[in-house]
Tab-separated table of all heavy atoms in Angstrom:
chain	number	residue	atom	x	y	z
A	72	LYS	N	-28.264	202.184	15.980
A	72	LYS	CA	-28.182	201.921	17.411
A	72	LYS	C	-29.507	202.219	18.081
A	72	LYS	O	-30.268	203.065	17.625
A	72	LYS	CB	-27.067	202.755	18.049
A	72	LYS	CG	-27.165	204.239	17.787
A	72	LYS	CD	-25.933	204.962	18.294
A	72	LYS	CE	-25.924	206.403	17.853
A	72	LYS	NZ	-26.950	207.225	18.494
A	73	ASP	N	-29.748	201.484	19.149
A	73	ASP	CA	-30.911	201.712	19.998
A	73	ASP	C	-30.358	202.090	21.367
A	73	ASP	O	-29.963	201.211	22.147
A	73	ASP	CB	-31.764	200.443	20.058
A	73	ASP	CG	-33.040	200.651	20.852
A	73	ASP	OD1	-33.064	201.544	21.731
A	73	ASP	OD2	-34.006	199.921	20.618
A	74	ASN	N	-30.325	203.399	21.631
A	74	ASN	CA	-29.713	203.865	22.879
A	74	ASN	C	-30.448	203.327	24.098
A	74	ASN	O	-29.827	202.997	25.109
A	74	ASN	CB	-29.687	205.392	22.901
A	74	ASN	CG	-28.700	205.963	21.917
A	74	ASN	OD1	-27.803	205.263	21.447
A	74	ASN	ND2	-28.858	207.229	21.585
A	75	ALA	N	-31.750	203.242	24.014
A	75	ALA	CA	-32.527	202.781	25.170
A	75	ALA	C	-32.190	201.338	25.541
A	75	ALA	O	-32.220	200.962	26.714
A	75	ALA	CB	-34.012	202.913	24.870
A	76	LYS	N	-31.847	200.541	24.531
A	76	LYS	CA	-31.545	199.128	24.780
A	76	LYS	C	-30.044	198.844	24.784
A	76	LYS	O	-29.641	197.688	24.917
A	76	LYS	CB	-32.216	198.258	23.713
A	76	LYS	CG	-33.728	198.313	23.739
A	76	LYS	CD	-34.332	197.394	22.697
A	76	LYS	CE	-35.846	197.428	22.733
A	76	LYS	NZ	-36.454	196.542	21.706
A	77	ASN	N	-29.235	199.892	24.611
A	77	ASN	CA	-27.775	199.705	24.543
A	77	ASN	C	-27.412	198.637	23.510
A	77	ASN	O	-26.590	197.743	23.772
A	77	ASN	CB	-27.226	199.319	25.912
A	77	ASN	CG	-26.365	200.406	26.505
A	77	ASN	OD1	-26.515	201.576	26.170
A	77	ASN	ND2	-25.462	200.013	27.374
A	78	THR	N	-28.000	198.749	22.357
A	78	THR	CA	-27.835	197.736	21.318
A	78	THR	C	-27.443	198.388	20.007
A	78	THR	O	-27.950	199.460	19.655
A	78	THR	CB	-29.141	196.945	21.130
A	78	THR	OG1	-29.460	196.282	22.355
A	78	THR	CG2	-29.010	195.904	20.030
A	79	VAL	N	-26.537	197.729	19.309
A	79	VAL	CA	-26.128	198.165	17.978
A	79	VAL	C	-26.594	197.107	16.979
A	79	VAL	O	-26.446	195.906	17.226
A	79	VAL	CB	-24.603	198.342	17.892
A	79	VAL	CG1	-24.190	198.745	16.479
A	79	VAL	CG2	-24.138	199.395	18.887
A	80	ILE	N	-27.148	197.571	15.883
A	80	ILE	CA	-27.740	196.691	14.882
A	80	ILE	C	-26.954	196.789	13.577
A	80	ILE	O	-26.537	197.887	13.178
A	80	ILE	CB	-29.195	197.091	14.590
A	80	ILE	CG1	-30.013	197.123	15.883
A	80	ILE	CG2	-29.824	196.169	13.555
A	80	ILE	CD1	-30.172	195.800	16.547
A	81	LEU	N	-26.769	195.645	12.933
A	81	LEU	CA	-26.219	195.630	11.578
A	81	LEU	C	-27.233	194.933	10.686
A	81	LEU	O	-27.410	193.713	10.762
A	81	LEU	CB	-24.874	194.922	11.514
A	81	LEU	CG	-24.185	194.977	10.146
A	81	LEU	CD1	-23.739	196.409	9.827
A	81	LEU	CD2	-22.983	194.032	10.097
A	82	GLN	N	-27.925	195.726	9.868
A	82	GLN	CA	-28.876	195.180	8.907
A	82	GLN	C	-28.124	194.863	7.623
A	82	GLN	O	-27.524	195.767	7.023
A	82	GLN	CB	-29.997	196.172	8.636
A	82	GLN	CG	-31.012	195.699	7.604
A	82	GLN	CD	-31.804	194.501	8.074
A	82	GLN	OE1	-32.252	194.453	9.217
A	82	GLN	NE2	-31.997	193.521	7.197
A	83	MET	N	-28.175	193.617	7.215
A	83	MET	CA	-27.422	193.178	6.041
A	83	MET	C	-28.385	192.708	4.971
A	83	MET	O	-29.125	191.731	5.176
A	83	MET	CB	-26.458	192.054	6.427
A	83	MET	CG	-25.534	192.402	7.574
A	83	MET	SD	-24.286	191.139	7.891
A	83	MET	CE	-25.312	189.774	8.399
A	84	ASN	N	-28.393	193.410	3.850
A	84	ASN	CA	-29.266	193.078	2.730
A	84	ASN	C	-28.432	192.684	1.514
A	84	ASN	O	-27.228	192.948	1.463
A	84	ASN	CB	-30.157	194.271	2.383
A	84	ASN	CG	-31.067	194.674	3.514
A	84	ASN	OD1	-31.507	193.836	4.313
A	84	ASN	ND2	-31.371	195.961	3.599
A	85	SER	N	-29.083	192.062	0.556
A	85	SER	CA	-28.418	191.653	-0.696
A	85	SER	C	-27.125	190.901	-0.397
A	85	SER	O	-26.074	191.191	-0.977
A	85	SER	CB	-28.135	192.891	-1.561
A	85	SER	OG	-29.311	193.589	-1.863
A	86	LEU	N	-27.215	189.948	0.481
A	86	LEU	CA	-26.022	189.226	0.915
A	86	LEU	C	-25.425	188.409	-0.213
A	86	LEU	O	-26.137	187.887	-1.082
A	86	LEU	CB	-26.358	188.336	2.104
A	86	LEU	CG	-26.480	189.089	3.430
A	86	LEU	CD1	-27.238	188.274	4.454
A	86	LEU	CD2	-25.100	189.465	3.953
A	87	LYS	N	-24.105	188.303	-0.180
A	87	LYS	CA	-23.340	187.571	-1.186
A	87	LYS	C	-22.538	186.464	-0.501
A	87	LYS	O	-22.220	186.578	0.696
A	87	LYS	CB	-22.369	188.521	-1.897
A	87	LYS	CG	-23.013	189.758	-2.506
A	87	LYS	CD	-21.950	190.688	-3.060
A	87	LYS	CE	-22.571	191.949	-3.649
A	87	LYS	NZ	-21.545	192.865	-4.190
A	88	PRO	N	-22.176	185.437	-1.233
A	88	PRO	CA	-21.355	184.378	-0.619
A	88	PRO	C	-20.069	184.908	0.007
A	88	PRO	O	-19.614	184.384	1.035
A	88	PRO	CB	-21.070	183.448	-1.804
A	88	PRO	CG	-22.253	183.626	-2.695
A	88	PRO	CD	-22.615	185.080	-2.581
A	89	GLU	N	-19.507	185.953	-0.572
A	89	GLU	CA	-18.267	186.524	-0.016
A	89	GLU	C	-18.489	187.267	1.293
A	89	GLU	O	-17.527	187.688	1.937
A	89	GLU	CB	-17.577	187.436	-1.034
A	89	GLU	CG	-18.467	188.493	-1.650
A	89	GLU	CD	-19.030	188.070	-2.999
A	89	GLU	OE1	-19.467	186.893	-3.138
A	89	GLU	OE2	-19.036	188.918	-3.923
A	90	ASP	N	-19.733	187.426	1.724
A	90	ASP	CA	-20.009	188.000	3.037
A	90	ASP	C	-19.919	186.952	4.140
A	90	ASP	O	-20.019	187.285	5.323
A	90	ASP	CB	-21.410	188.617	3.065
A	90	ASP	CG	-21.547	189.821	2.158
A	90	ASP	OD1	-20.614	190.653	2.119
A	90	ASP	OD2	-22.596	189.935	1.482
A	91	THR	N	-19.740	185.688	3.768
A	91	THR	CA	-19.632	184.614	4.753
A	91	THR	C	-18.424	184.832	5.654
A	91	THR	O	-17.301	184.997	5.185
A	91	THR	CB	-19.511	183.258	4.043
A	91	THR	OG1	-20.730	182.999	3.321
A	91	THR	CG2	-19.264	182.131	5.043
A	92	ALA	N	-18.664	184.851	6.963
A	92	ALA	CA	-17.611	185.115	7.936
A	92	ALA	C	-18.195	185.041	9.341
A	92	ALA	O	-19.415	184.970	9.513
A	92	ALA	CB	-17.001	186.500	7.710
A	93	VAL	N	-17.317	185.079	10.321
A	93	VAL	CA	-17.740	185.329	11.698
A	93	VAL	C	-17.757	186.845	11.883
A	93	VAL	O	-16.772	187.515	11.574
A	93	VAL	CB	-16.798	184.671	12.719
A	93	VAL	CG1	-17.231	185.029	14.132
A	93	VAL	CG2	-16.772	183.161	12.523
A	94	TYR	N	-18.861	187.358	12.361
A	94	TYR	CA	-19.023	188.800	12.549
A	94	TYR	C	-18.870	189.135	14.031
A	94	TYR	O	-19.508	188.510	14.888
A	94	TYR	CB	-20.392	189.242	12.041
A	94	TYR	CG	-20.435	189.349	10.537
A	94	TYR	CD1	-20.394	188.210	9.735
A	94	TYR	CD2	-20.489	190.591	9.913
A	94	TYR	CE1	-20.408	188.303	8.349
A	94	TYR	CE2	-20.508	190.693	8.529
A	94	TYR	CZ	-20.465	189.547	7.752
A	94	TYR	OH	-20.471	189.647	6.387
A	95	TYR	N	-18.036	190.134	14.291
A	95	TYR	CA	-17.727	190.555	15.653
A	95	TYR	C	-18.187	191.987	15.886
A	95	TYR	O	-17.985	192.863	15.045
A	95	TYR	CB	-16.227	190.493	15.906
A	95	TYR	CG	-15.629	189.113	15.812
A	95	TYR	CD1	-15.137	188.634	14.606
A	95	TYR	CD2	-15.544	188.293	16.936
A	95	TYR	CE1	-14.580	187.366	14.513
A	95	TYR	CE2	-14.982	187.026	16.863
A	95	TYR	CZ	-14.508	186.574	15.648
A	95	TYR	OH	-13.953	185.322	15.573
A	96	CYS	N	-18.731	192.205	17.063
A	96	CYS	CA	-19.050	193.542	17.542
A	96	CYS	C	-17.890	194.013	18.417
A	96	CYS	O	-17.289	193.203	19.146
A	96	CYS	CB	-20.350	193.487	18.341
A	96	CYS	SG	-20.816	195.013	19.164
A	97	ALA	N	-17.576	195.306	18.359
A	97	ALA	CA	-16.464	195.830	19.141
A	97	ALA	C	-16.725	197.273	19.535
A	97	ALA	O	-17.520	197.970	18.893
A	97	ALA	CB	-15.162	195.721	18.341
A	98	ALA	N	-16.014	197.726	20.578
A	98	ALA	CA	-16.176	199.087	21.076
A	98	ALA	C	-14.813	199.769	21.169
A	98	ALA	O	-13.864	199.182	21.704
A	98	ALA	CB	-16.855	199.075	22.440
A	99	ALA	N	-14.753	201.022	20.661
A	99	ALA	CA	-13.504	201.770	20.637
A	99	ALA	C	-13.683	203.120	21.326
A	99	ALA	O	-14.612	203.859	20.991
A	99	ALA	CB	-13.045	201.994	19.202
A	100	PRO	N	-12.783	203.487	22.259
A	100	PRO	CA	-12.902	204.773	22.954
A	100	PRO	C	-12.440	205.960	22.113
A	100	PRO	O	-12.859	207.088	22.332
A	100	PRO	CB	-12.014	204.592	24.181
A	100	PRO	CG	-11.002	203.579	23.768
A	100	PRO	CD	-11.693	202.652	22.811
A	101	PHE	N	-11.552	205.725	21.154
A	101	PHE	CA	-11.045	206.820	20.330
A	101	PHE	C	-10.261	206.220	19.177
A	101	PHE	O	-9.999	205.016	19.140
A	101	PHE	CB	-10.141	207.768	21.129
A	101	PHE	CG	-9.021	207.058	21.862
A	101	PHE	CD1	-7.859	206.674	21.205
A	101	PHE	CD2	-9.144	206.779	23.203
A	101	PHE	CE1	-6.843	206.019	21.873
A	101	PHE	CE2	-8.131	206.124	23.885
A	101	PHE	CZ	-6.977	205.737	23.216
A	102	GLY	N	-9.843	207.071	18.253
A	102	GLY	CA	-8.960	206.613	17.189
A	102	GLY	C	-9.654	206.415	15.862
A	102	GLY	O	-10.743	206.929	15.623
A	103	ASP	N	-8.997	205.676	15.012
A	103	ASP	CA	-9.496	205.366	13.683
A	103	ASP	C	-10.539	204.256	13.795
A	103	ASP	O	-10.208	203.118	14.116
A	103	ASP	CB	-8.322	204.917	12.800
A	103	ASP	CG	-8.750	204.510	11.403
A	103	ASP	OD1	-9.962	204.575	11.099
A	103	ASP	OD2	-7.876	204.106	10.616
Side-chain angles (χ1 to χ4, degrees):
K72 54 188 171 69
D73 184 334
N74 289 342
K76 296 182 179 179
N77 248 25
T78 299
V79 178
I80 305 295
L81 185 68
Q82 178 66 44
M83 306 186 295
N84 298 328
S85 302
L86 283 161
K87 306 174 181 180
E89 51 264 43
D90 294 318
T91 295
V93 177
Y94 282 70
Y95 297 90
C96 174
F101 53 80
D103 177 0

